[in-house]
Amino acid sequence: MRKDIPLHQYPKDVQIATHMIGLNYKRPYIRHGRRYYKPYRNCFCSALSGPDYETLRKMEKKGYVVSDKPCERSIYFWMTREGLDWLGEKIRIQIHDPRD
């Protein structure tokens, strides 16, 4: 089983979510034939205009991310447990909650 995940073939929301938790930088580990990942970060800073911001707002409406109050030109987003579960189902990986 390959450790790397071809993220370029997934939709924009999945690509942003994997970047948010650092999965595009650090590989998951494999145990008993299943992939597991423990995020080392859980945040994404987006400009208040642009395609990432619109995608993140759609994800927020679904309950996958939460946001902070906007600053002058940017806003921070974090994945929720529901969002981690959604992402795990999409890319077939068990994602641990970084707070556990």
Side-chain angles (χ1 to χ4, degrees), residues 3-40:
K3 280 190 175 183
D4 60 328
I5 301 167
L7 298 173
H8 63 279
Q9 57 185 262
Y10 287 98
K12 182 79 170 167
D13 55 351
V14 173
Q15 291 179 18
I16 290 173
T18 56
H19 178 76
M20 190 180 299
I21 63 170
L23 193 55
N24 62 336
Y25 175 72
K26 191 176 169 189
R27 293 183 180 180
Y29 61 94
I30 298 173
R31 184 173 291 154
H32 306 294
R34 296 187 65 196
R35 290 186 189 136
Y36 296 89
Y37 182 70
K38 184 169 185 177
Y40 71 94

Side-chain angles (χ1 to χ4, degrees):
M1 176 180 279
R2 294 173 53 174
K3 280 190 175 183
D4 60 328
I5 301 167
L7 298 173
H8 63 279
Q9 57 185 262
Y10 287 98
K12 182 79 170 167
D13 55 351
V14 173
Q15 291 179 18
I16 290 173
T18 56
H19 178 76
M20 190 180 299
I21 63 170
L23 193 55
N24 62 336
Y25 175 72
K26 191 176 169 189
R27 293 183 180 180
Y29 61 94
I30 298 173
R31 184 173 291 154
H32 306 294
R34 296 187 65 196
R35 290 186 189 136
Y36 296 89
Y37 182 70
K38 184 169 185 177
Y40 71 94
R41 68 177 180 215
N42 184 3
C43 65
F44 189 90
C45 183
S46 173
L48 290 175
S49 61
D52 291 345
Y53 178 74
E54 308 232 348
T55 302
L56 286 160
R57 282 296 182 196
K58 289 176 186 175
M59 292 171 66
E60 187 174 33
K61 287 180 183 177
K62 295 177 183 177
Y64 301 152
V65 298
V66 292
S67 64
D68 199 6
K69 291 183 180 179
C71 298
E72 271 186 48
R73 297 181 182 148
S74 62
I75 186 170
Y76 280 92
F77 291 89
W78 295 271
M79 294 286 290
T80 62
R81 179 70 252 175
E82 184 180 350
L84 292 172
D85 293 339
W86 162 80
L87 180 61
E89 288 176 18
K90 289 284 189 182
I91 59 176
R92 290 178 282 158
I93 189 170
Q94 178 68 39
I95 303 172
H96 299 287
D97 195 338
R99 295 172 288 193
D100 292 343

